[in-house]
Amino acid sequence: MDVSVILPTMNEEEAISEVLPKIIEVLDGLGLEYEVIVVDRSSDRTPEIAKELGAVVVRQRGRGYGDAYITGFRHARGRVILMMDPDGSYDPIDIPSLISPILEGKADFVMGSRLKGEIEPGAMPWLHRHIGNPFLTWVLNLFFKAGVSDAHCGMRAISREALGRLNLKCRGMEFASEMIIEAARAGLRIVEVPIRYHRRIGESKLSSLRDGWRHLRLMLLYSPTYLFIVPGITILGAGLLLMAYTYLLQPIRVHTMILSSLLVITGTQVLGFGASAKVYAIKEGFAKPDRVGSFFMRYSILEEGLALGGLLISIGLVLGVRLFLQWRAEGYGALFRIGDAVLILTLVTLGLQLVFLSFFISIYMIKEG
């Protein structure tokens, strides 16, 4: 089998009767052996119409956009698997453009790009075209270096061999982003081709805010570096600079000293979450090792963490004893050294955080030892 076309359907009886014959006409013209698989979850006549037109109909037992495609993948036999919505928004004429690079050995994964192609007036809402899709695509490229222009295009093709290298789990709309993320992580050759985009037939089932958040949520959860480590470093750095400036140059500004302590402790905590998430993701196969992950996965991380944490605690305790002795020398009266007290609190807290974080991360590394 050369090509498997997978169409997820839910109450598309009007669209399927118009789109499916066009798909078959294009595939017949290519002279390839093909199959059209309709993964259906309809309550109307969509599956009956699809069968009458020659498609293989598979009943979807679960729910969601991603679940439909994962179900279809299990039944597909083609060397190339083509994905597209059967609502008339994607043009079957573009099928050869998507499958040819794979059949010719020039790509593993081909994405259609509506933004580089032709968009029929009214086919894509202004919010999606100019804000939502570009923003989410920019985030995806920033986090995962995918290099695509239209991350949410539903018309795409992938080789069977490449599909087997992807760890796809998402069952909802965020599946579209997950597939690109996994393809980028797997080092697949990703190619984009411009396509046509038309007004859909029938009512849209998308929810802009809900589906957009699900895509952003997935990308954040897939990237501990951008979710935890970058913000943690930023917060910690700001806190350290503010604390140094306040303690050395403006010691009477107690409220600023307290704020800087809050930033330092919070930044360290966020960094700890990031380090833990990074190590966990690599150990469980969700992410590939990188410089950040390798740093925290060193065998000596426990000893180094204990040494640094112990040093901070010791400095804090020494300063604390010194402050106590000054207080005692003044008869336990009023001692306006709140800045020193905040510094001591911060040092001891940081030291304890580092000690326990080092133990926590090292739990993951027991098998490596």
Side-chain angles (χ1 to χ4, degrees), residues 82-270:
L82 177 77
M83 306 159 57
M84 63 181 289
D85 298 334
D87 56 13
S89 56
Y90 296 105
D91 200 322
I93 294 177
D94 292 317
I95 289 176
S97 299
L98 273 89
I99 65 175
S100 294
I102 300 176
L103 291 173
E104 295 169 2
K106 298 178 181 178
D108 304 307
F109 182 34
V110 180
M111 286 286 302
S113 175
R114 299 164 295 180
L115 301 181
K116 290 183 177 180
E118 302 174 13
I119 301 178
E120 181 181 311
M124 185 183 294
W126 186 92
L127 180 67
H128 293 187
R129 183 173 183 176
H130 298 286
I131 298 179
N133 196 359
F135 171 71
L136 292 173
T137 299
W138 175 79
V139 172
L140 189 145
N141 287 328
L142 174 67
F143 286 9
F144 306 103
K145 308 298 184 291
V148 298
S149 65
D150 186 6
H152 300 132
C153 180
M155 191 172 188
R156 50 185 73 179
I158 188 168
S159 71
R160 169 180 289 280
E161 185 275 332
L163 180 63
R165 295 162 58 188
L166 307 186
N167 183 23
L168 302 173
K169 303 176 293 295
C170 292
R171 303 287 169 167
M173 289 300 300
E174 65 271 29
F175 171 86
S177 293
E178 181 190 35
M179 191 174 190
I180 301 174
I181 293 169
E182 286 292 321
R185 285 181 166 182
L188 300 188
R189 294 172 297 167
I190 303 174
V191 171
E192 266 194 328
V193 296
I195 63 170
R196 303 163 182 83
Y197 193 64
H198 306 290
R199 288 175 177 267
R200 65 164 288 134
I201 300 171
E203 184 179 352
S204 175
K205 303 175 183 66
L206 296 176
S207 174
S208 299
L209 293 178
R210 182 193 65 195
D211 293 335
W213 163 243
R214 292 183 71 163
H215 285 284
L216 181 59
R217 177 181 183 272
L218 175 77
M219 289 187 284
L220 289 171
L221 294 178
Y222 257 77
S223 181
T225 298
Y226 286 97
L227 179 59
F228 294 114
I229 295 177
V230 172
I233 290 175
T234 302
I235 297 171
L236 176 60
L240 289 173
L241 289 175
L242 184 61
M243 179 172 286
Y245 171 78
T246 304
Y247 187 77
L248 297 175
L249 302 178
Q250 300 285 338
I252 63 172
R253 296 184 179 274
V254 176
H255 59 286
T256 308
M257 193 69 179
I258 294 173
L259 173 61
S260 65
S261 176
L262 173 65
L263 291 174
V264 169
I265 293 172
T266 301
T268 304
Q269 188 68 53
V270 174

